[in-house]
Amino acid sequence: MTATLPKPPADADVLVAGAGPAGLALACALADAGLSVLLLEQQARAALDAPADDGREIALTHRSRRVMQALGLWQRLPPQAIAPLREARVLNGDSTTPLCIGAADGAAEELGWLVPNHHIRAAALGAAMSRAQVRLLCDARVVALESGPTAAQVTLADGRVFRAALVVAADSRMSQTRRMAGIGASMHDFGRSAILGRVAHSRPSDAIAWECFRHGNTLALLPLNDRLASAVVTLPSDQAPQWMALDDAAFAARVQGQSAECLGAMQAVGPRHLYPLVGVYSHRFAAPRVALIGDAAVGMHPVTAHGWNFGLYGVEVLARELKAARQAGRDIGALAVLQAFEAEHRRTTLPIYLGTQALVSLFTDERSWARLARRGVLAVAGRAPLLAGLIKAGIARQLTGMNGSLLARAWER
Ligand SMILES: Cc1cc2nc3c(=O)[nH]c(=O)nc-3n(C[C@H](O)[C@H](O)[C@H](O)COP(=O)(O)OP(=O)(O)OC[C@H]3O[C@@H](n4cnc5c(N)ncnc54)[C@H](O)[C@@H]3O)c2cc1C
């Protein structure tokens, strides 16, 4: 990857490959730190201006809300699209008695908030475009990357070339830029898929999220405003086509049946979306003149609701390190600068990435020992306060990535 490059002037301080929510939020943070940014995005501008509803309801922590407020993203969200999350309840097997995880575990009234991903994308675009230091080039697919002693250079599919002191890969969990930087990643294919669909329900949700670990599949019901919920069915991938082919009435009936009627009668609203579940953890988050953020660094199991929260955390840490380097007159592409970001981001994300995998495995394994272990875990959680706190924290994280849990408090340092 190393080459001797001629020295035309840089096109910006930082090139960011990918104008998804992570790339856009980073552009905002870097601009506020006094750096200029050129975003390179493969999609057309029209697709960014009116992002399609992808069915994802993103659970946001208190920390994420604070970061989004500081970057001016939160203020751009339509208020009616922000749904509070006050409590989570877990049902296991055929049980109708839930384990309850409430805001009482923390100081705040809400555990977190749910916001549709396409609104986050639109808000991030608006915030980035309001900063003079940020430029966006669409129809710009990055196909090559070279790193030299004083600059890195990317080449687009149409042959155009851009240079900067630093290139940031924000081009999703299957990041091509990561690969071009010679950085590998550990991938875990869960062999399962998530089907997302909205349902209207007859009983109020009271801002409670439900997670029902049924035999064969899990069902999460995420509370939205106006008596709507997002149903997330996680099941072995070979069963997904059958669920996707159900008509609306049959889908709503299945969801209602598995929910122990917790939200009353249900009707399907809008299309369903299918996501194969693959976790990705990059071997490194930094190389000379290259850094990784968002899903390109850590692609979480989606049901655990961490991806964007981790993305924002990475944005915060990387921007802080680059700002300090610039103020100290250091090279922002130097490996030592980027390694400080890498060390902190790894320390924060790796335990939760691994812990999430373990929890997902336990709560989706249908072998009899795993069913027993699940029952035991939840039974203990109901009695022993300290252990209960830890278990609830883990489950709470899995459900929502929310504030108010022990893990979250460690994360919210
Ligand atoms: C079903 C589901 C539910 C989720 N729920 C939650 C949740 O509750 N809480 C939470 O925190 N997170 C959640 N997430 C995760 C969250 O959606 C992601 O972490 C986040 O959207 C990732 O943003 P990103 O910018 O890193 O990547 P992306 O959104 O994938 O954006 C990457 C961008 O890079 C562009 N690109 C790709 N390749 C190139 C290239 N070669 N050149 C130029 N541009 C390129 C793409 O076009 C795209 O615009 C969920 C995810 C899923 C799938």
Side-chain angles (χ1 to χ4, degrees), residues 18-23 40-43 56-59 117 121 140-142 170-172 176 196 275 294-295 302 305-309:
L40 302 168
E41 167 58 47
Q42 64 182 3
Q43 294 182 74
R56 299 184 207 181
E57 304 293 339
I58 305 295
N117 194 40
R121 292 186 86 108
R141 185 160 64 87
V142 175
D171 52 348
S172 201
Q176 290 302 309
L196 282 53
Y275 290 92
D295 281 13
H306 279 93
W308 167 239
N309 290 293

PDB file of all heavy atoms in Angstrom, residues 18-23 40-43 56-59 117 121 140-142 170-172 176 196 275 294-295 302 305-309, ligand 1:
ATOM      1  N   GLY A  18     -17.614   7.296   2.452  1.00  0.00           N
ATOM      2  CA  GLY A  18     -18.922   6.875   2.957  1.00  0.00           C
ATOM      3  C   GLY A  18     -19.628   7.980   3.704  1.00  0.00           C
ATOM      4  O   GLY A  18     -19.142   8.448   4.736  1.00  0.00           O
ATOM      5  N   ALA A  19     -20.770   8.415   3.168  1.00  0.00           N
ATOM      6  CA  ALA A  19     -21.573   9.455   3.846  1.00  0.00           C
ATOM      7  C   ALA A  19     -22.825   8.837   4.443  1.00  0.00           C
ATOM      8  O   ALA A  19     -23.942   9.301   4.238  1.00  0.00           O
ATOM      9  CB  ALA A  19     -21.920  10.584   2.865  1.00  0.00           C
ATOM     10  N   GLY A  20     -22.612   7.751   5.194  1.00  0.00           N
ATOM     11  CA  GLY A  20     -23.682   7.223   6.044  1.00  0.00           C
ATOM     12  C   GLY A  20     -23.708   8.037   7.322  1.00  0.00           C
ATOM     13  O   GLY A  20     -22.978   9.034   7.453  1.00  0.00           O
ATOM     14  N   PRO A  21     -24.510   7.635   8.300  1.00  0.00           N
ATOM     15  CA  PRO A  21     -24.577   8.424   9.528  1.00  0.00           C
ATOM     16  C   PRO A  21     -23.223   8.592  10.210  1.00  0.00           C
ATOM     17  O   PRO A  21     -22.929   9.670  10.732  1.00  0.00           O
ATOM     18  CB  PRO A  21     -25.546   7.636  10.418  1.00  0.00           C
ATOM     19  CG  PRO A  21     -25.958   6.430   9.659  1.00  0.00           C
ATOM     20  CD  PRO A  21     -25.469   6.535   8.260  1.00  0.00           C
ATOM     21  N   ALA A  22     -22.372   7.567  10.187  1.00  0.00           N
ATOM     22  CA  ALA A  22     -21.074   7.696  10.867  1.00  0.00           C
ATOM     23  C   ALA A  22     -20.179   8.698  10.145  1.00  0.00           C
ATOM     24  O   ALA A  22     -19.571   9.576  10.774  1.00  0.00           O
ATOM     25  CB  ALA A  22     -20.390   6.330  10.963  1.00  0.00           C
ATOM     26  N   GLY A  23     -20.072   8.574   8.813  1.00  0.00           N
ATOM     27  CA  GLY A  23     -19.231   9.505   8.054  1.00  0.00           C
ATOM     28  C   GLY A  23     -19.712  10.934   8.186  1.00  0.00           C
ATOM     29  O   GLY A  23     -18.915  11.866   8.357  1.00  0.00           O
ATOM     30  N   LEU A  40     -16.783  11.357   0.418  1.00  0.00           N
ATOM     31  CA  LEU A  40     -16.921  10.697  -0.884  1.00  0.00           C
ATOM     32  C   LEU A  40     -17.966   9.600  -0.742  1.00  0.00           C
ATOM     33  O   LEU A  40     -17.782   8.651   0.024  1.00  0.00           O
ATOM     34  CB  LEU A  40     -15.572  10.108  -1.304  1.00  0.00           C
ATOM     35  CG  LEU A  40     -14.434  11.135  -1.393  1.00  0.00           C
ATOM     36  CD1 LEU A  40     -13.086  10.444  -1.519  1.00  0.00           C
ATOM     37  CD2 LEU A  40     -14.669  12.098  -2.550  1.00  0.00           C
ATOM     38  N   GLU A  41     -19.068   9.738  -1.462  1.00  0.00           N
ATOM     39  CA  GLU A  41     -20.199   8.821  -1.280  1.00  0.00           C
ATOM     40  C   GLU A  41     -20.602   8.226  -2.625  1.00  0.00           C
ATOM     41  O   GLU A  41     -20.810   8.946  -3.588  1.00  0.00           O
ATOM     42  CB  GLU A  41     -21.382   9.576  -0.643  1.00  0.00           C
ATOM     43  CG  GLU A  41     -22.713   8.855  -0.672  1.00  0.00           C
ATOM     44  CD  GLU A  41     -22.700   7.483   0.009  1.00  0.00           C
ATOM     45  OE1 GLU A  41     -22.184   7.368   1.137  1.00  0.00           O
ATOM     46  OE2 GLU A  41     -23.196   6.513  -0.615  1.00  0.00           O
ATOM     47  N   GLN A  42     -20.750   6.907  -2.636  1.00  0.00           N
ATOM     48  CA  GLN A  42     -21.054   6.237  -3.908  1.00  0.00           C
ATOM     49  C   GLN A  42     -22.495   6.491  -4.389  1.00  0.00           C
ATOM     50  O   GLN A  42     -22.777   6.418  -5.574  1.00  0.00           O
ATOM     51  CB  GLN A  42     -20.806   4.737  -3.787  1.00  0.00           C
ATOM     52  CG  GLN A  42     -21.717   4.036  -2.795  1.00  0.00           C
ATOM     53  CD  GLN A  42     -21.418   2.543  -2.661  1.00  0.00           C
ATOM     54  OE1 GLN A  42     -20.491   2.040  -3.271  1.00  0.00           O
ATOM     55  NE2 GLN A  42     -22.208   1.849  -1.880  1.00  0.00           N
ATOM     56  N   GLN A  43     -23.404   6.809  -3.462  1.00  0.00           N
ATOM     57  CA  GLN A  43     -24.804   6.990  -3.870  1.00  0.00           C
ATOM     58  C   GLN A  43     -25.015   8.357  -4.518  1.00  0.00           C
ATOM     59  O   GLN A  43     -24.230   9.281  -4.342  1.00  0.00           O
ATOM     60  CB  GLN A  43     -25.722   6.900  -2.656  1.00  0.00           C
ATOM     61  CG  GLN A  43     -25.765   5.546  -1.987  1.00  0.00           C
ATOM     62  CD  GLN A  43     -26.746   5.553  -0.839  1.00  0.00           C
ATOM     63  OE1 GLN A  43     -27.955   5.552  -1.035  1.00  0.00           O
ATOM     64  NE2 GLN A  43     -26.227   5.593   0.372  1.00  0.00           N
ATOM     65  N   ARG A  56     -35.326   0.194  10.172  1.00  0.00           N
ATOM     66  CA  ARG A  56     -34.558   0.160  11.429  1.00  0.00           C
ATOM     67  C   ARG A  56     -35.046   1.250  12.374  1.00  0.00           C
ATOM     68  O   ARG A  56     -35.126   2.421  11.995  1.00  0.00           O
ATOM     69  CB  ARG A  56     -33.072   0.434  11.172  1.00  0.00           C
ATOM     70  CG  ARG A  56     -32.417  -0.545  10.278  1.00  0.00           C
ATOM     71  CD  ARG A  56     -30.924  -0.219  10.177  1.00  0.00           C
ATOM     72  NE  ARG A  56     -30.394  -0.689   8.927  1.00  0.00           N
ATOM     73  CZ  ARG A  56     -29.127  -0.568   8.556  1.00  0.00           C
ATOM     74  NH1 ARG A  56     -28.257   0.020   9.339  1.00  0.00           N
ATOM     75  NH2 ARG A  56     -28.719  -1.026   7.393  1.00  0.00           N
ATOM     76  N   GLU A  57     -35.336   0.870  13.580  1.00  0.00           N
ATOM     77  CA  GLU A  57     -35.613   1.836  14.648  1.00  0.00           C
ATOM     78  C   GLU A  57     -34.387   1.819  15.543  1.00  0.00           C
ATOM     79  O   GLU A  57     -34.091   0.807  16.180  1.00  0.00           O
ATOM     80  CB  GLU A  57     -36.865   1.436  15.445  1.00  0.00           C
ATOM     81  CG  GLU A  57     -38.116   1.248  14.599  1.00  0.00           C
ATOM     82  CD  GLU A  57     -38.621   2.538  13.970  1.00  0.00           C
ATOM     83  OE1 GLU A  57     -38.275   3.622  14.486  1.00  0.00           O
ATOM     84  OE2 GLU A  57     -39.337   2.445  12.958  1.00  0.00           O
ATOM     85  N   ILE A  58     -33.665   2.906  15.581  1.00  0.00           N
ATOM     86  CA  ILE A  58     -32.379   2.923  16.282  1.00  0.00           C
ATOM     87  C   ILE A  58     -32.589   3.330  17.739  1.00  0.00           C
ATOM     88  O   ILE A  58     -33.089   4.423  18.036  1.00  0.00           O
ATOM     89  CB  ILE A  58     -31.400   3.908  15.595  1.00  0.00           C
ATOM     90  CG1 ILE A  58     -31.244   3.555  14.101  1.00  0.00           C
ATOM     91  CG2 ILE A  58     -30.055   3.896  16.301  1.00  0.00           C
ATOM     92  CD1 ILE A  58     -30.611   2.227  13.804  1.00  0.00           C
ATOM     93  N   ALA A  59     -32.208   2.423  18.647  1.00  0.00           N
ATOM     94  CA  ALA A  59     -32.277   2.722  20.080  1.00  0.00           C
ATOM     95  C   ALA A  59     -31.058   3.546  20.462  1.00  0.00           C
ATOM     96  O   ALA A  59     -29.926   3.125  20.229  1.00  0.00           O
ATOM     97  CB  ALA A  59     -32.315   1.428  20.879  1.00  0.00           C
ATOM     98  N   ASN A 117     -34.006   5.048  11.448  1.00  0.00           N
ATOM     99  CA  ASN A 117     -32.676   5.287  10.886  1.00  0.00           C
ATOM    100  C   ASN A 117     -32.699   6.322   9.762  1.00  0.00           C
ATOM    101  O   ASN A 117     -31.785   7.139   9.643  1.00  0.00           O
ATOM    102  CB  ASN A 117     -32.101   3.962  10.357  1.00  0.00           C
ATOM    103  CG  ASN A 117     -30.618   4.050  10.067  1.00  0.00           C
ATOM    104  OD1 ASN A 117     -29.861   4.656  10.817  1.00  0.00           O
ATOM    105  ND2 ASN A 117     -30.199   3.471   8.958  1.00  0.00           N
ATOM    106  N   ARG A 121     -30.271   9.586   9.275  1.00  0.00           N
ATOM    107  CA  ARG A 121     -29.452   9.852   8.075  1.00  0.00           C
ATOM    108  C   ARG A 121     -29.727  11.263   7.544  1.00  0.00           C
ATOM    109  O   ARG A 121     -28.798  12.006   7.212  1.00  0.00           O
ATOM    110  CB  ARG A 121     -29.770   8.833   6.980  1.00  0.00           C
ATOM    111  CG  ARG A 121     -29.335   7.416   7.298  1.00  0.00           C
ATOM    112  CD  ARG A 121     -29.562   6.501   6.098  1.00  0.00           C
ATOM    113  NE  ARG A 121     -28.426   6.563   5.199  1.00  0.00           N
ATOM    114  CZ  ARG A 121     -27.536   5.581   5.038  1.00  0.00           C
ATOM    115  NH1 ARG A 121     -27.675   4.453   5.697  1.00  0.00           N
ATOM    116  NH2 ARG A 121     -26.524   5.712   4.227  1.00  0.00           N
ATOM    117  N   ALA A 140     -19.575   8.971  -6.078  1.00  0.00           N
ATOM    118  CA  ALA A 140     -18.111   8.928  -5.915  1.00  0.00           C
ATOM    119  C   ALA A 140     -17.734   7.647  -5.171  1.00  0.00           C
ATOM    120  O   ALA A 140     -17.635   7.630  -3.948  1.00  0.00           O
ATOM    121  CB  ALA A 140     -17.640  10.163  -5.146  1.00  0.00           C
ATOM    122  N   ARG A 141     -17.532   6.592  -5.932  1.00  0.00           N
ATOM    123  CA  ARG A 141     -17.191   5.301  -5.292  1.00  0.00           C
ATOM    124  C   ARG A 141     -15.678   5.154  -5.204  1.00  0.00           C
ATOM    125  O   ARG A 141     -14.976   5.222  -6.215  1.00  0.00           O
ATOM    126  CB  ARG A 141     -17.795   4.131  -6.097  1.00  0.00           C
ATOM    127  CG  ARG A 141     -17.583   2.772  -5.418  1.00  0.00           C
ATOM    128  CD  ARG A 141     -18.575   1.754  -5.948  1.00  0.00           C
ATOM    129  NE  ARG A 141     -18.391   1.483  -7.363  1.00  0.00           N
ATOM    130  CZ  ARG A 141     -17.554   0.577  -7.863  1.00  0.00           C
ATOM    131  NH1 ARG A 141     -16.844  -0.177  -7.054  1.00  0.00           N
ATOM    132  NH2 ARG A 141     -17.438   0.411  -9.158  1.00  0.00           N
ATOM    133  N   VAL A 142     -15.198   4.968  -3.997  1.00  0.00           N
ATOM    134  CA  VAL A 142     -13.756   4.807  -3.766  1.00  0.00           C
ATOM    135  C   VAL A 142     -13.347   3.397  -4.184  1.00  0.00           C
ATOM    136  O   VAL A 142     -13.917   2.410  -3.715  1.00  0.00           O
ATOM    137  CB  VAL A 142     -13.428   5.045  -2.272  1.00  0.00           C
ATOM    138  CG1 VAL A 142     -11.953   4.754  -1.991  1.00  0.00           C
ATOM    139  CG2 VAL A 142     -13.781   6.476  -1.866  1.00  0.00           C
ATOM    140  N   ALA A 170     -15.574   4.918   6.353  1.00  0.00           N
ATOM    141  CA  ALA A 170     -16.895   4.899   7.018  1.00  0.00           C
ATOM    142  C   ALA A 170     -17.869   4.259   6.043  1.00  0.00           C
ATOM    143  O   ALA A 170     -19.003   4.705   5.890  1.00  0.00           O
ATOM    144  CB  ALA A 170     -17.326   6.317   7.384  1.00  0.00           C
ATOM    145  N   ASP A 171     -17.388   3.222   5.362  1.00  0.00           N
ATOM    146  CA  ASP A 171     -18.159   2.655   4.248  1.00  0.00           C
ATOM    147  C   ASP A 171     -18.743   1.285   4.598  1.00  0.00           C
ATOM    148  O   ASP A 171     -18.745   0.381   3.795  1.00  0.00           O
ATOM    149  CB  ASP A 171     -17.318   2.602   2.967  1.00  0.00           C
ATOM    150  CG  ASP A 171     -15.961   1.918   3.165  1.00  0.00           C
ATOM    151  OD1 ASP A 171     -15.580   1.692   4.328  1.00  0.00           O
ATOM    152  OD2 ASP A 171     -15.290   1.628   2.170  1.00  0.00           O
ATOM    153  N   SER A 172     -19.249   1.177   5.834  1.00  0.00           N
ATOM    154  CA  SER A 172     -20.077   0.051   6.262  1.00  0.00           C
ATOM    155  C   SER A 172     -19.290  -1.192   6.633  1.00  0.00           C
ATOM    156  O   SER A 172     -18.080  -1.247   6.492  1.00  0.00           O
ATOM    157  CB  SER A 172     -21.109  -0.278   5.183  1.00  0.00           C
ATOM    158  OG  SER A 172     -22.167  -0.977   5.754  1.00  0.00           O
ATOM    159  N   GLN A 176     -14.893  -1.672   1.760  1.00  0.00           N
ATOM    160  CA  GLN A 176     -13.846  -1.883   0.754  1.00  0.00           C
ATOM    161  C   GLN A 176     -12.596  -1.089   1.108  1.00  0.00           C
ATOM    162  O   GLN A 176     -11.475  -1.511   0.830  1.00  0.00           O
ATOM    163  CB  GLN A 176     -14.353  -1.451  -0.632  1.00  0.00           C
ATOM    164  CG  GLN A 176     -15.424  -2.364  -1.218  1.00  0.00           C
ATOM    165  CD  GLN A 176     -14.942  -3.802  -1.348  1.00  0.00           C
ATOM    166  OE1 GLN A 176     -13.885  -4.064  -1.895  1.00  0.00           O
ATOM    167  NE2 GLN A 176     -15.715  -4.739  -0.815  1.00  0.00           N
ATOM    168  N   LEU A 196     -37.997  -7.168  10.048  1.00  0.00           N
ATOM    169  CA  LEU A 196     -38.518  -5.983  10.726  1.00  0.00           C
ATOM    170  C   LEU A 196     -39.825  -5.563  10.066  1.00  0.00           C
ATOM    171  O   LEU A 196     -39.891  -5.459   8.831  1.00  0.00           O
ATOM    172  CB  LEU A 196     -37.539  -4.815  10.592  1.00  0.00           C
ATOM    173  CG  LEU A 196     -36.302  -4.760  11.483  1.00  0.00           C
ATOM    174  CD1 LEU A 196     -35.480  -6.023  11.439  1.00  0.00           C
ATOM    175  CD2 LEU A 196     -35.435  -3.572  11.083  1.00  0.00           C
ATOM    176  N   TYR A 275     -32.888  -8.593   7.215  1.00  0.00           N
ATOM    177  CA  TYR A 275     -31.452  -8.382   7.437  1.00  0.00           C
ATOM    178  C   TYR A 275     -30.779  -9.675   7.876  1.00  0.00           C
ATOM    179  O   TYR A 275     -31.053 -10.162   8.984  1.00  0.00           O
ATOM    180  CB  TYR A 275     -31.229  -7.327   8.531  1.00  0.00           C
ATOM    181  CG  TYR A 275     -31.605  -5.919   8.122  1.00  0.00           C
ATOM    182  CD1 TYR A 275     -32.879  -5.417   8.374  1.00  0.00           C
ATOM    183  CD2 TYR A 275     -30.689  -5.105   7.478  1.00  0.00           C
ATOM    184  CE1 TYR A 275     -33.234  -4.128   8.002  1.00  0.00           C
ATOM    185  CE2 TYR A 275     -31.034  -3.805   7.102  1.00  0.00           C
ATOM    186  CZ  TYR A 275     -32.299  -3.331   7.371  1.00  0.00           C
ATOM    187  OH  TYR A 275     -32.637  -2.058   6.992  1.00  0.00           O
ATOM    188  N   GLY A 294     -17.535   3.763  12.576  1.00  0.00           N
ATOM    189  CA  GLY A 294     -18.855   3.228  12.261  1.00  0.00           C
ATOM    190  C   GLY A 294     -18.805   1.724  12.096  1.00  0.00           C
ATOM    191  O   GLY A 294     -17.972   1.033  12.684  1.00  0.00           O
ATOM    192  N   ASP A 295     -19.696   1.217  11.249  1.00  0.00           N
ATOM    193  CA  ASP A 295     -19.744  -0.226  11.030  1.00  0.00           C
ATOM    194  C   ASP A 295     -18.472  -0.748  10.376  1.00  0.00           C
ATOM    195  O   ASP A 295     -18.167  -1.936  10.472  1.00  0.00           O
ATOM    196  CB  ASP A 295     -20.956  -0.588  10.150  1.00  0.00           C
ATOM    197  CG  ASP A 295     -22.255  -0.611  10.939  1.00  0.00           C
ATOM    198  OD1 ASP A 295     -22.256  -0.119  12.096  1.00  0.00           O
ATOM    199  OD2 ASP A 295     -23.270  -1.109  10.420  1.00  0.00           O
ATOM    200  N   PRO A 302     -27.234  -6.711  14.888  1.00  0.00           N
ATOM    201  CA  PRO A 302     -28.186  -5.593  14.923  1.00  0.00           C
ATOM    202  C   PRO A 302     -29.169  -5.655  16.091  1.00  0.00           C
ATOM    203  O   PRO A 302     -29.524  -4.611  16.624  1.00  0.00           O
ATOM    204  CB  PRO A 302     -28.930  -5.697  13.592  1.00  0.00           C
ATOM    205  CG  PRO A 302     -28.088  -6.550  12.727  1.00  0.00           C
ATOM    206  CD  PRO A 302     -27.310  -7.442  13.629  1.00  0.00           C
ATOM    207  N   ALA A 305     -28.518  -3.582  19.182  1.00  0.00           N
ATOM    208  CA  ALA A 305     -28.774  -2.136  19.201  1.00  0.00           C
ATOM    209  C   ALA A 305     -27.580  -1.292  19.651  1.00  0.00           C
ATOM    210  O   ALA A 305     -27.729  -0.368  20.430  1.00  0.00           O
ATOM    211  CB  ALA A 305     -29.978  -1.852  20.116  1.00  0.00           C
ATOM    212  N   HIS A 306     -26.399  -1.636  19.165  1.00  0.00           N
ATOM    213  CA  HIS A 306     -25.233  -0.852  19.538  1.00  0.00           C
ATOM    214  C   HIS A 306     -24.582  -0.089  18.393  1.00  0.00           C
ATOM    215  O   HIS A 306     -23.823   0.837  18.638  1.00  0.00           O
ATOM    216  CB  HIS A 306     -24.131  -1.781  20.081  1.00  0.00           C
ATOM    217  CG  HIS A 306     -24.312  -2.165  21.488  1.00  0.00           C
ATOM    218  ND1 HIS A 306     -24.964  -3.288  21.859  1.00  0.00           N
ATOM    219  CD2 HIS A 306     -23.916  -1.563  22.619  1.00  0.00           C
ATOM    220  CE1 HIS A 306     -24.966  -3.378  23.180  1.00  0.00           C
ATOM    221  NE2 HIS A 306     -24.344  -2.349  23.657  1.00  0.00           N
ATOM    222  N   GLY A 307     -24.804  -0.522  17.174  1.00  0.00           N
ATOM    223  CA  GLY A 307     -23.969  -0.076  16.056  1.00  0.00           C
ATOM    224  C   GLY A 307     -23.784   1.425  15.980  1.00  0.00           C
ATOM    225  O   GLY A 307     -22.658   1.929  15.992  1.00  0.00           O
ATOM    226  N   TRP A 308     -24.878   2.148  15.901  1.00  0.00           N
ATOM    227  CA  TRP A 308     -24.790   3.603  15.745  1.00  0.00           C
ATOM    228  C   TRP A 308     -24.309   4.254  17.039  1.00  0.00           C
ATOM    229  O   TRP A 308     -23.566   5.237  17.006  1.00  0.00           O
ATOM    230  CB  TRP A 308     -26.150   4.127  15.308  1.00  0.00           C
ATOM    231  CG  TRP A 308     -26.348   5.602  15.397  1.00  0.00           C
ATOM    232  CD1 TRP A 308     -27.300   6.250  16.131  1.00  0.00           C
ATOM    233  CD2 TRP A 308     -25.623   6.641  14.691  1.00  0.00           C
ATOM    234  NE1 TRP A 308     -27.193   7.605  15.943  1.00  0.00           N
ATOM    235  CE2 TRP A 308     -26.183   7.865  15.066  1.00  0.00           C
ATOM    236  CE3 TRP A 308     -24.561   6.628  13.799  1.00  0.00           C
ATOM    237  CZ2 TRP A 308     -25.715   9.091  14.579  1.00  0.00           C
ATOM    238  CZ3 TRP A 308     -24.083   7.846  13.317  1.00  0.00           C
ATOM    239  CH2 TRP A 308     -24.663   9.048  13.694  1.00  0.00           C
ATOM    240  N   ASN A 309     -24.687   3.693  18.183  1.00  0.00           N
ATOM    241  CA  ASN A 309     -24.179   4.236  19.448  1.00  0.00           C
ATOM    242  C   ASN A 309     -22.652   4.113  19.495  1.00  0.00           C
ATOM    243  O   ASN A 309     -21.959   5.051  19.889  1.00  0.00           O
ATOM    244  CB  ASN A 309     -24.821   3.498  20.629  1.00  0.00           C
ATOM    245  CG  ASN A 309     -26.298   3.838  20.780  1.00  0.00           C
ATOM    246  OD1 ASN A 309     -26.657   4.966  21.098  1.00  0.00           O
ATOM    247  ND2 ASN A 309     -27.165   2.867  20.527  1.00  0.00           N
TER     248      ASN A 309
HETATM  249  C1  LIG B   1     -31.832  -4.199  11.721  1.00  0.00           C
HETATM  250  C2  LIG B   1     -30.863  -3.238  12.346  1.00  0.00           C
HETATM  251  C3  LIG B   1     -31.185  -2.609  13.537  1.00  0.00           C
HETATM  252  C4  LIG B   1     -30.287  -1.744  14.146  1.00  0.00           C
HETATM  253  N1  LIG B   1     -30.624  -1.163  15.329  1.00  0.00           N
HETATM  254  C5  LIG B   1     -29.734  -0.363  15.951  1.00  0.00           C
HETATM  255  C6  LIG B   1     -30.040   0.235  17.224  1.00  0.00           C
HETATM  256  O1  LIG B   1     -31.121   0.038  17.783  1.00  0.00           O
HETATM  257  N2  LIG B   1     -29.100   1.032  17.823  1.00  0.00           N
HETATM  258  C7  LIG B   1     -27.889   1.277  17.237  1.00  0.00           C
HETATM  259  O2  LIG B   1     -27.082   1.996  17.807  1.00  0.00           O
HETATM  260  N3  LIG B   1     -27.585   0.743  16.027  1.00  0.00           N
HETATM  261  C8  LIG B   1     -28.466  -0.068  15.381  1.00  0.00           C
HETATM  262  N4  LIG B   1     -28.156  -0.603  14.164  1.00  0.00           N
HETATM  263  C9  LIG B   1     -26.854  -0.283  13.554  1.00  0.00           C
HETATM  264  C10 LIG B   1     -26.862   1.015  12.742  1.00  0.00           C
HETATM  265  O3  LIG B   1     -27.935   1.023  11.834  1.00  0.00           O
HETATM  266  C11 LIG B   1     -25.529   1.104  12.019  1.00  0.00           C
HETATM  267  O4  LIG B   1     -24.485   0.968  12.969  1.00  0.00           O
HETATM  268  C12 LIG B   1     -25.306   2.416  11.309  1.00  0.00           C
HETATM  269  O5  LIG B   1     -26.355   2.700  10.436  1.00  0.00           O
HETATM  270  C13 LIG B   1     -24.010   2.322  10.519  1.00  0.00           C
HETATM  271  O6  LIG B   1     -23.705   3.549   9.940  1.00  0.00           O
HETATM  272  P1  LIG B   1     -22.416   3.687   9.027  1.00  0.00           P
HETATM  273  O7  LIG B   1     -22.397   5.108   8.581  1.00  0.00           O
HETATM  274  O8  LIG B   1     -21.234   3.115   9.681  1.00  0.00           O
HETATM  275  O9  LIG B   1     -22.688   2.722   7.790  1.00  0.00           O
HETATM  276  P2  LIG B   1     -23.774   2.787   6.628  1.00  0.00           P
HETATM  277  O10 LIG B   1     -25.059   3.340   7.124  1.00  0.00           O
HETATM  278  O11 LIG B   1     -23.812   1.436   6.023  1.00  0.00           O
HETATM  279  O12 LIG B   1     -23.196   3.840   5.587  1.00  0.00           O
HETATM  280  C14 LIG B   1     -22.080   3.538   4.780  1.00  0.00           C
HETATM  281  C15 LIG B   1     -22.063   4.480   3.587  1.00  0.00           C
HETATM  282  O13 LIG B   1     -20.889   4.251   2.831  1.00  0.00           O
HETATM  283  C16 LIG B   1     -21.239   4.266   1.450  1.00  0.00           C
HETATM  284  N5  LIG B   1     -20.192   3.482   0.733  1.00  0.00           N
HETATM  285  C17 LIG B   1     -20.011   2.138   0.801  1.00  0.00           C
HETATM  286  N6  LIG B   1     -18.957   1.774   0.040  1.00  0.00           N
HETATM  287  C18 LIG B   1     -18.462   2.918  -0.515  1.00  0.00           C
HETATM  288  C19 LIG B   1     -17.362   3.219  -1.391  1.00  0.00           C
HETATM  289  N7  LIG B   1     -16.540   2.252  -1.840  1.00  0.00           N
HETATM  290  N8  LIG B   1     -17.157   4.502  -1.743  1.00  0.00           N
HETATM  291  C20 LIG B   1     -17.968   5.493  -1.298  1.00  0.00           C
HETATM  292  N9  LIG B   1     -19.021   5.282  -0.472  1.00  0.00           N
HETATM  293  C21 LIG B   1     -19.256   4.011  -0.066  1.00  0.00           C
HETATM  294  C22 LIG B   1     -22.617   3.659   1.399  1.00  0.00           C
HETATM  295  O14 LIG B   1     -23.309   4.000   0.214  1.00  0.00           O
HETATM  296  C23 LIG B   1     -23.260   4.265   2.646  1.00  0.00           C
HETATM  297  O15 LIG B   1     -23.872   5.501   2.385  1.00  0.00           O
HETATM  298  C24 LIG B   1     -29.035  -1.482  13.535  1.00  0.00           C
HETATM  299  C25 LIG B   1     -28.711  -2.085  12.327  1.00  0.00           C
HETATM  300  C26 LIG B   1     -29.613  -2.971  11.738  1.00  0.00           C
HETATM  301  C27 LIG B   1     -29.231  -3.634  10.439  1.00  0.00           C
END
